[in-house]
């Protein structure tokens, strides 16, 4: 298997020529990392003619090598990009797929340019503008409306990745002994989290929500719709990293979206805007939606997938209590 390595430019250039992702006379000018990705090895390839992104998945999470993950997950992401190419509305907000190498678990993508993601929101100083919120809601509207099924099947089931995600969203954060000392994140957080880890009623509801997450559904989801997947590009917001995509309940995408509005302390008017501008919001199951919102808030505060939150302990305590109410009501 070819292993992507920025420190082996000759081998990488030979591989790219072999895949015909470079022209015969085209040479690599520079290799760099486009950002701090969690799941995969991602590189930006620059040539005299332009640039593109290559992405490889391995049998573990790139940021946490001790966490095993499906080695071929990037191929599902490639299949997602092939699927959405039929909708200009959705494709225009995402990078175009340039190639798939199924043997080496590698895909090539359009380079959206040197841009920052929206994780800067976690410093809690910035507020989303109405135009930005509209672009994000428009993306979910386009994705969920353009790619919905009348008959549920196994297309893009992405079962292994969802099983991995299920563990980190619905189980791991709520284990009393999971080997992760939250006081290493913030002094006092372990004690704040413990009542929720012992709350049987809460854990039962979260288990039910987890079962819904694992079930098949009618709507194509991006699957990880949070600020780390939103890029601030020159021509507006772009959406990346659909590696957790699947056909499921649209309440999940929307729930993760709204949860991060609370986590970044956006105004209530921003959350109201999302609900008002999401198509067919009145058709959604608000109990399930609120459950997903609350679970995402909790897992980001007391789970392994920590955010660079500049948040006081008391604020986290209040958010956890609010999330519990959302899940149980």
């Amino acid at each position: 298997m070819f292993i992507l390595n920025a420190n082996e430019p000759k081998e990488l250039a030979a591989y790219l020529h072999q895949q015909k992702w470079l022209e015969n006379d085209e040479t690599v000018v520079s290799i760099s990392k486009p950002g701090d990705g969690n799941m995969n090895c991602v590189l930006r390839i620059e040539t005299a003619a332009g640039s593109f992104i290559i992405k490889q998945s391995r049998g573990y999470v790139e940021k946490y090598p001790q966490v095993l993950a499906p080695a071929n997950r990037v191929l599902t992401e490639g299949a997602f990009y092939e699927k959405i190419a039929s909708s200009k509305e959705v494709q225009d907000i995402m990078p175009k797929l340039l190639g798939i190498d199924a043997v080496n678990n590698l895909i090539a993508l359009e380079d959206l340019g040197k841009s920052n993601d929206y994780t800067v929101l976690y410093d809690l100083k910035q507020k989303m503008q109405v135009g930005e919120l509209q672009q994000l809601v428009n993306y979910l509207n386009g994705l969920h409306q353009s790619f919905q099924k009348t008959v549920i099947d196994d297309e893009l089931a992405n079962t292994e990745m969802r099983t991995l995600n299920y563990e980190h969203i619905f189980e791991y954060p709520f284990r009393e002994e999971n080997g992760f000392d939250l006081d290493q994140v913030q002094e006092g957080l372990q004690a704040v989290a413990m009542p929720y880890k012992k709350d049987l009623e809460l854990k039962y509801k979260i288990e039910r929500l987890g079962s819904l997450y694992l079930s098949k559904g009618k709507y194509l989801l991006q699957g990880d719709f949070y600020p780390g997947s939103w890029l601030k590009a020159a021509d507006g917001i772009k959406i990346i990293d659909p590696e957790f995509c699947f056909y499921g309940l649209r309440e999940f995408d929307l729930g993760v979206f709204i949860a991060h509005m609370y986590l970044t302390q956006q105004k209530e008017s921003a959350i109201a805007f999302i609900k008002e501008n999401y198509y067919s919001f009145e058709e959604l199951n608000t109990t399930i939606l609120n459950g997903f919102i609350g679970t995402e808030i909790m897992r980001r505060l007391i789970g392994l997938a920590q955010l660079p939150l500049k948040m006081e302990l008391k604020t986290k305590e209040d958010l956890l209590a609010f999330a519990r109410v959302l899940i149980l009501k």
Side-chain angles (χ1 to χ4, degrees):
M1 181 173 174
F2 173 76
I3 301 296
L4 204 53
N5 187 341
N7 298 318
E8 295 179 350
K10 286 184 180 177
E11 291 84 346
L12 179 51
Y15 166 79
L16 294 172
H17 278 116
Q18 183 187 353
Q19 292 297 318
K20 302 199 181 326
W21 294 346
L22 288 181
E23 298 294 333
N24 288 336
D25 57 349
E26 199 173 5
T27 57
V28 175
V29 174
S30 77
I31 303 166
S32 59
K33 287 182 69 172
D36 293 324
N38 286 346
M39 289 298 298
N40 304 303
C41 180
V42 185
L43 296 177
R44 170 179 281 117
I45 308 298
E46 294 186 66
T47 73
S51 64
F52 58 95
I53 301 295
I54 51 175
K55 189 171 189 177
Q56 185 176 46
S57 55
R58 298 160 187 176
Y60 53 86
V61 176
E62 196 71 18
K63 189 174 180 181
Y64 306 104
Q66 72 276 19
V67 179
L68 299 180
N72 63 351
R73 59 188 177 272
V74 82
L75 302 183
T76 302
E77 183 173 346
F80 176 95
Y81 281 120
E82 286 180 318
K83 183 81 179 174
I84 61 100
S86 63
S87 167
K88 188 177 188 303
E89 180 185 14
V90 179
Q91 177 64 89
D92 284 352
I93 310 173
M94 302 193 83
K96 291 183 175 66
L97 180 71
L98 304 178
I100 297 179
D101 173 9
V103 174
N104 295 298
N105 296 329
L106 228 148
I107 61 173
L109 296 166
E110 173 191 10
D111 186 2
L112 298 174
K114 292 178 181 176
S115 51
N116 295 318
D117 62 27
Y118 274 78
T119 53
V120 68
L121 292 173
Y122 298 120
D123 68 9
L124 309 183
K125 294 175 183 174
Q126 299 193 38
K127 301 301 176 198
M128 297 285 290
Q129 301 302 307
V130 169
E132 294 173 308
L133 292 169
Q134 187 70 68
Q135 289 175 66
L136 292 168
V137 176
N138 285 350
Y139 172 79
L140 286 187
N141 283 336
L143 184 66
H144 296 170
Q145 295 291 319
S146 301
F147 301 99
Q148 58 175 298
K149 291 182 178 294
T150 50
V151 178
I152 295 171
D153 57 26
D154 288 329
E155 185 184 10
L156 288 173
N158 211 0
T159 306
E160 287 184 276
M161 284 294 278
R162 271 198 288 160
T163 303
L164 175 70
N165 220 21
Y166 170 86
E167 163 81 11
H168 285 280
I169 298 174
F170 302 97
E171 284 193 345
Y172 181 91
F174 306 100
R175 287 190 198 130
E176 287 186 52
E177 301 294 336
N178 60 13
F180 183 40
D181 181 7
L182 289 165
D183 286 341
Q184 297 296 316
V185 175
Q186 191 169 11
E187 192 65 38
L189 187 56
Q190 186 72 20
V192 167
M194 196 51 70
Y196 301 103
K197 292 171 178 281
K198 294 181 176 181
D199 189 332
L200 296 181
E201 183 187 8
L202 175 72
K203 289 166 76 166
Y204 172 73
K205 283 290 180 70
I206 289 170
E207 187 182 332
R208 293 282 301 275
L209 287 161
S211 297
L212 291 171
Y213 170 74
L214 289 174
S215 64
K216 296 171 187 172
K218 295 195 300 183
Y219 299 92
L220 182 57
L221 309 184
Q222 192 271 350
D224 196 21
F225 199 67
Y226 86 114
S229 298
W230 313 337
L231 285 187
K232 191 175 285 193
D235 57 343
I237 296 177
K238 302 292 184 181
I239 309 301
I240 58 169
D241 294 343
E243 58 225 356
F244 288 105
C245 66
F246 67 104
Y247 275 92
L249 298 173
R250 50 192 168 164
E251 287 88 349
F252 183 74
D253 264 353
L254 201 62
V256 170
F257 182 14
I258 294 172
H260 286 266
M261 295 297 98
Y262 285 115
L263 285 162
T264 56
Q265 300 196 318
Q266 300 300 309
K267 297 173 183 173
E268 280 291 339
S269 59
I271 293 160
F273 180 90
I274 294 167
K275 293 178 178 180
E276 286 163 12
N277 288 273
Y278 181 80
Y279 291 158
S280 309
F281 183 82
E282 67 283 352
E283 293 177 8
L284 300 179
N285 183 313
T286 51
T287 301
I288 294 172
L289 175 63
N290 286 334
F292 283 142
I293 295 170
T295 304
E296 176 68 8
I297 290 171
M298 294 189 101
R299 77 99 167 197
R300 290 296 191 170
L301 294 178
I302 65 173
L304 185 65
Q306 289 286 317
L307 303 166
L309 271 173
K310 304 287 190 294
M311 186 178 279
E312 293 179 1
L313 187 64
K314 178 65 170 67
T315 309
K316 289 185 179 180
E317 204 170 342
D318 292 343
L319 258 180
L320 286 166
F322 169 68
R324 182 183 185 275
V325 170
L326 282 178
I327 293 165
L328 292 182
K329 77 176 184 182

